[in-house]
Amino acid sequence: MNLKHIQGNTWVIEGNQLIPIYILPDKRCILMDSGLRKEREELEQLLKDNGLSPAAIVCTHAHVDHCANNDYFQKKYHIPVALSGPETGMASSILNLKCYRLLVSPDVAEQEMSDMVHTPDIVIPYVDWKLELEGERFGIVTTPGHSSGHICVITPDNVCYAGDAIMSREMMDAKLPYSLSIQHAMASRKKLLDLDCDLFVMAHRGICTKEEIGQLIEDNHALILRRAGVRHIEISDACTMCEPDRFWSHRVTKGVRGSQGAVIVCGGDAK
């Protein structure tokens, strides 16, 4: 693991993924996510080697590579953990977490997910707002899709930690894009365009500028379409309301209902 400076008091810990931290004047730090269980000792040692100690954790979502050390740090250092409302419910029990892996047995779920179970001290309302921790204000941006209650966190240095809301360019050819809801995930990525942040940090090893985020979002969406087998989308200028001789329109008939059907031919020549 390495500690890398990003901007101002915002740094990232480079491990299996990037874990941003915000360093306070007294050398305590606020972690954004806590990483995998197998990295616990190395993560803790890295903080000690740099004269740092944890002051709080703001967690983007309750997946094993983001929250497996929340409970450990919370109890050992007596620090608050902040997690969104939807993710708090998910992390409250093995049974809830098993929703992520429906096919595993309860025993396997216990073995693989027990470190993820914890009770946050701060339940973040699922709205865009400001979270105050240790006298510093962090922006909270709701970005559902990858998980039901995923959030992005903006540090006081105007650095956005996007978590898993967007895939880094480094991982686009190496990792299968996962979303609980592709539709919500795509909308959340577009939401990042409205953020006037200087830098964007992605959990799975990527950092980009605000000038680069737009193209990265487009490339993320193109990747999803390619993986779904979509090669071409044509947007027609046909209008159902403007061309009632060709189309039936609910708006034209002012509520008089009818029905129509469409056929999509996949592959081969349409006859």
Side-chain angles (χ1 to χ4, degrees):
M1 279 187 167
N2 298 299
L3 187 61
K4 178 180 179 180
H5 183 241
I6 300 300
Q7 180 164 286
N9 294 323
T10 302
W11 298 64
V12 293
I13 296 170
E14 298 177 311
N16 181 73
Q17 68 262 3
L18 301 183
I19 301 176
I21 64 172
Y22 182 81
I23 300 179
L24 301 167
D26 60 3
K27 299 293 285 184
R28 292 182 304 144
C29 62
I30 296 171
L31 289 84
M32 282 148 269
D33 291 343
S34 62
L36 290 161
R37 167 63 184 89
K38 68 179 182 180
E39 294 187 302
R40 178 180 299 170
E41 289 76 17
E42 193 175 0
L43 172 59
E44 194 170 22
Q45 190 60 50
L46 178 73
L47 294 176
K48 289 180 180 179
D49 290 346
N50 286 275
L52 302 171
S53 61
I57 297 172
V58 184
C59 190
T60 58
H61 61 298
H63 282 183
V64 66
D65 51 344
H66 294 263
C67 74
N69 295 311
N70 284 7
D71 184 65
Y72 172 80
F73 281 110
Q74 181 188 41
K75 291 177 178 176
K76 179 171 181 178
Y77 294 93
H78 307 288
I79 63 172
V81 171
L83 188 64
S84 74
E87 300 296 310
T88 294
M90 188 63 71
S92 65
S93 71
I94 290 291
L95 187 60
N96 284 352
L97 287 167
K98 193 177 178 299
C99 293
Y100 285 131
R101 301 186 63 190
L102 294 173
L103 299 182
V104 304
S105 68
D107 289 343
V108 172
E110 178 73 31
Q111 293 170 13
E112 297 184 358
M113 301 181 183
S114 59
D115 291 311
M116 299 168 63
V117 177
H118 65 291
T119 302
D121 305 272
I122 302 169
V123 178
I124 300 173
Y126 207 54
V127 294
D128 296 349
W129 72 313
K130 297 287 186 180
L131 172 66
E132 185 163 330
L133 286 171
E134 301 295 328
E136 301 284 355
R137 290 168 67 85
F138 293 79
I140 302 298
V141 182
T142 55
T143 47
H146 180 74
S147 68
S148 63
H150 188 285
I151 61 170
C152 296
V153 184
I154 302 173
T155 76
D157 297 314
N158 204 33
V159 175
C160 175
Y161 174 44
D164 284 346
I166 185 169
M167 187 178 293
S168 66
R169 197 167 299 285
E170 290 84 344
M171 296 300 294
M172 287 180 66
D173 295 325
K175 190 174 185 290
L176 182 68
Y178 166 80
S179 293
L180 184 64
S181 165
I182 292 176
Q183 180 182 4
H184 283 82
M186 293 179 78
S188 290
R189 290 188 197 100
K190 291 179 180 178
K191 190 174 181 179
L192 298 180
L193 287 171
D194 296 329
L195 302 181
D196 188 26
C197 294
D198 298 329
L199 296 165
F200 294 81
V201 177
M202 286 136 275
H204 294 285
R205 310 192 68 80
I207 300 172
C208 73
T209 65
K210 60 183 176 182
E211 290 79 18
E212 298 168 325
I213 190 68
Q215 186 60 55
L216 183 59
I217 290 170
E218 288 186 17
D219 292 344
N220 267 249
H221 290 174
L223 173 63
I224 292 170
L225 292 175
R226 287 199 306 273
R227 293 292 178 88
V230 177
R231 295 291 180 266
H232 176 71
I233 297 176
E234 181 176 340
I235 300 176
S236 170
D237 59 1
C239 172
T240 58
M241 184 174 181
C242 304
E243 302 177 74
D245 56 324
R246 296 180 61 198
F247 306 106
W248 174 84
S249 169
H250 185 272
R251 290 177 294 172
V252 170
T253 62
K254 301 186 184 304
V256 177
R257 298 189 177 276
S259 62
Q260 59 184 353
V263 176
I264 299 176
V265 178
C266 298
D269 296 326
K271 299 297 185 181

